[in-house]
Each structure stands twice: as C-alpha cells, then as structure tokens.
Amino acid sequence: MANPPYYLQLMIGPGVPVPMPASVMDALASVQVTSNTEGPSYFQLTFSTSTKSPLSTLFLLAQGAQPPILRVVLLVIVRGMPDVLMDGVVTNCQMQPGAGGHSTLTVTGEDLSRLMDYIPFDGMPYPAMAPNLRVMLMLAKYAAFGITPVVIPPISLAVFSPTEHIPRHKGTDLEYIKDLAGESGYEFYVDPGPLPLQSVAYWGPSIRVGVPQPALNTDMDAETNVESMDFNFDAESAGIPIVMIYPKKLKFGIPVPIPNVNPFAPPLGLIPPLPKRADIDRDSSRKSTTEALLCALGRAAKNSDAVSVSGSLDVTRYGRVLKARKLVGVRGAGQAFDGLYFVKSVVHNIKQGEYKQQFSLVRNGLISTVPRVPA
C-alpha cells in the first residue's frame, strides 16, 4: 500500500512494535481508524492471508495465546507530511476461512487508553493530593509506552487535610481519571503522536481554539475538495444547565443557571438557538458549590452544539489528513453555514490506492463569527 501521493507504514509488536515487512503490507487489504472526541478511538485491520502466511504466527491465532499487549502503530505520510493515525493495542482477532486456501484476518483494537482500563486499584489512598496531582501519579505508570501527560490544574483545587478526609482510588485508572475529569468539568483522552511510539494523555478543559485546518469547500467548482456535506440545525437541542446551591443557613436550594462561557471554546456561530429546556443537576447536594458549578460548565459546553455537519472527502484531493479535535473552515455552503467548525470525529478508510475520510463537525449556532474563512 505504498502508492503516491500517500504512504502507509504499519508497526506491530509486543510492547515495542516494529515495522512490518513487505509480505505483511501486501496482505493488508484495508485499514479503518475512528478518531472520536467522546470515548476511545478504534482501529480495524483486514488482511487477506493464506495458510502459509506469517500472520497466523504473528497473531498466534492457532494456539489462542496472543501476547498480553500487542501494540499497533499506524503512520501515514501525505505529500511529505507524516501523521500518526493510531497507537493502540489489539483487543480482538477473527479469522474467516475462504476458498482456495485463502482466509480473511480481521484485527481490531483501541488506543492506548485501553491499557489504563485493565487493573482496578480500588482503595489506593491519595493523602493531601489535588485531583490534578492524582491524575499525574496515575499516568506516570504508562511512561514506558511513550505516553506524556498534559494535565491542567482545575480552577478550584480541592485539597483535604489527611486528618479530615483521604481521597481513595475507585475502579481502574481510566475510570477514576474520567470521574475526576467530570467533577472538574474537564475531558480526558489519549492522542497519538506527534511521532511514532509517542502519545499525549490530555486531562483538562475542552479546547476549541487554534489555527484552523485548510477549508472544506463544497459547491465551488474546481475548488471543491469534498465528496459530500450534509448540514443540520437542531434548535431543540439547546438547554441551560441549572445548579442547585444549598447554603448552610438555609433549608432549601437556590437554582443558579449556568451560561456557556468557556475562554478555551469561544462561540463559532454568531446566532445560537435560544435554550428551550432546563437541565437541573439533581446531584448538586452531594457536591461542593465549586464542584457543582464546574460540572455544569462542562455540560453547558457539550450541549451547545446546535449545528452539525457530516460528510466525506478524498484525502488525495483535500491534500492532507483532516484531524479530529481541531478547527476547520467550511466554504460554499451559504451564509448560514459557512465559517469555522470543531471536528468532532473522523473515520479513516484506507485501501489499495484509495484514502478517504468521513467526518463530523459541530458548532454552537448559525452565521460565522469570522468575516472570512481561510482557504
């Protein structure tokens, strides 16, 4: 699968993956990688094999003794620009026998966050440690896999005296890290790259700022670089979170509406829909006032995406790989839908001589907040 203008490199191995030989690359029929902003990212490799193929030995299907951690790295180079699509571990292998001694081997897996969801550490104490320090300590276990933690301290650092309260671990590392992220209105994900065998574990607020990717052009004649784009405006999806504050001297709660204000995720649409429902946090009484407000701010950011776009493109025509969790411009869709969007998810579909992507974009409202979308 080394046809211009892109080149795909596959690395597989227990612990430290190594580049696959030409015989394995020739047997690789298709690759699919799904990059999500919500939940883990996935990959699927499909091989056309024979009974004499070294792939059967590589994945140890006959004995069912697959190595505990079989790591997979996918690197694609488009017009000289390398991008790490996936750094993950194999979770399942399936073999489908065919006619003439040929079989189809399907290998699926998840990103490296899967490593954090194997062993529970219930009860481990974290005396006098703020949530961000607990996350840093948990992520330190995975430095051997090239995972670099990027942890942003929350606005309010809840540090308890060991004589009053000692926070304790609940579930696996991934479960506890996500619980701490939810309490702070944050998100957590593991992003592959920027180089092979390197990944970034991000724990912090949702960020929707930065230099936008090249614009997606639709209905612009020769400048059109997408195959399809469908736009949707859901005016009923807008809601306003309400937190119930319980002062110590009062015996009843005070409702406090939380606006969608996030300096790291400014509005991308000039006219958002008016909220038509109230999302009351029923668990406010179990949280401190600061924790309840931070959780509500996180929910407000997630529920504000009223405009969504789905579409597909050919990478060879677009000229580069569209990445999730970044901004991208849209042109040619009309005044209501042109402008900047946040890339919510991307699905990479790679076959012999073909590289296409399906994408999902979101933003908070209609009409662009920028006067001109960069090409």
Side-chain angles (χ1 to χ4, degrees):
M1 300 185 68
N3 293 333
Y6 74 87
Y7 173 78
L8 178 68
Q9 183 178 14
L10 173 64
M11 303 170 66
I12 302 177
V16 180
V18 295
M20 290 293 96
S23 59
V24 176
M25 298 304 296
D26 292 340
L28 183 60
S30 65
V31 174
Q32 184 178 81
V33 177
T34 303
S35 300
N36 294 314
T37 56
E38 298 179 358
S41 297
Y42 302 91
F43 69 88
Q44 183 178 84
L45 309 177
T46 303
F47 297 91
S48 296
T49 65
S50 65
T51 54
K52 298 181 180 180
S53 172
L55 290 175
S56 299
T57 303
L58 175 65
F59 294 101
L60 302 175
L61 295 177
Q63 293 79 17
Q66 178 178 301
I69 298 178
L70 189 59
R71 191 171 174 183
V72 173
V73 176
L74 284 164
L75 174 70
V76 66
I77 301 175
V78 178
R79 296 186 180 180
M81 296 297 295
D83 287 290
V84 182
L85 301 185
M86 173 58 65
D87 189 345
V89 294
V90 174
T91 58
N92 183 265
C93 295
Q94 293 182 349
M95 177 72 79
Q96 296 178 339
H102 292 278
S103 302
T104 299
L105 172 65
T106 303
V107 179
T108 58
E110 300 181 15
D111 62 44
L112 290 182
S113 64
R114 179 72 177 184
L115 297 175
M116 308 174 188
D117 203 27
Y118 284 135
I119 303 175
F121 295 93
D122 296 87
M124 179 178 291
Y126 298 100
M129 296 184 68
N132 57 304
L133 296 181
R134 290 177 242 166
V135 174
M136 287 287 291
L137 184 60
M138 285 183 279
L139 294 178
K141 304 186 188 79
Y142 310 97
F145 295 93
I147 298 178
T148 301
V150 177
V151 178
I152 309 300
I155 299 175
S156 175
L157 295 176
V159 181
F160 301 95
S161 170
T163 59
E164 298 177 356
H165 174 67
I166 297 179
R168 296 186 180 276
H169 199 110
K170 300 177 182 177
T172 63
D173 283 338
L174 184 61
E175 291 172 341
Y176 192 44
I177 289 174
K178 287 187 173 182
D179 286 344
L180 294 176
E183 294 174 1
S184 302
Y186 280 4
E187 63 179 0
F188 174 74
Y189 59 85
V190 178
D191 196 26
L195 298 176
L197 305 181
Q198 293 182 358
S199 296
V200 174
Y202 177 78
W203 188 85
S206 177
I207 298 179
R208 297 189 179 186
V209 294
V211 179
Q213 303 174 84
L216 303 173
N217 303 327
T218 181
D219 196 21
M220 293 183 65
D221 297 328
E223 294 188 25
T224 300
N225 56 11
V226 298
E227 294 182 340
S228 65
M229 292 187 77
D230 297 322
F231 297 84
N232 180 53
F233 177 64
D234 187 2
E236 300 294 326
S237 64
I240 182 169
I242 294 180
V243 175
M244 301 299 295
I245 304 299
Y246 297 87
K248 294 183 179 180
K249 296 183 179 180
L250 298 179
K251 296 183 179 181
F252 57 87
I254 301 176
V256 179
I258 305 298
N260 181 20
V261 179
N262 184 353
F264 298 102
L268 301 176
L270 193 62
I271 305 177
L274 293 175
K276 296 183 179 179
R277 71 175 192 275
D279 300 327
I280 302 177
D281 186 0
R282 304 293 181 181
D283 296 329
S284 299
S285 59
R286 304 176 183 178
K287 308 172 185 176
S288 66
T289 301
T290 303
E291 289 179 348
L293 293 174
L294 291 176
C295 291
L297 285 172
R299 287 190 291 113
K302 293 181 179 180
N303 297 335
S304 63
D305 296 326
V307 179
S308 59
V309 183
S310 60
S312 62
L313 60 84
D314 191 324
V315 172
T316 58
R317 186 169 185 180
Y318 181 55
R320 61 174 292 168
V321 177
L322 182 67
K323 298 181 180 180
R325 298 190 179 93
K326 295 182 180 295
L327 299 180
V328 68
V330 170
R331 303 193 302 172
Q335 184 179 10
F337 294 106
D338 278 356
L340 296 179
Y341 286 81
F342 179 71
V343 184
K344 185 177 181 180
S345 65
V346 175
V347 179
H348 308 258
N349 293 292
I350 304 176
K351 298 180 181 179
Q352 183 72 34
E354 179 182 284
Y355 187 178
K356 296 188 177 183
Q357 290 183 285
Q358 296 173 321
F359 55 85
S360 175
L361 318 176
V362 293
R363 78 178 184 193
N364 65 298
L366 300 172
I367 311 296
S368 176
T369 55
V370 296
R372 182 176 179 273
V373 178

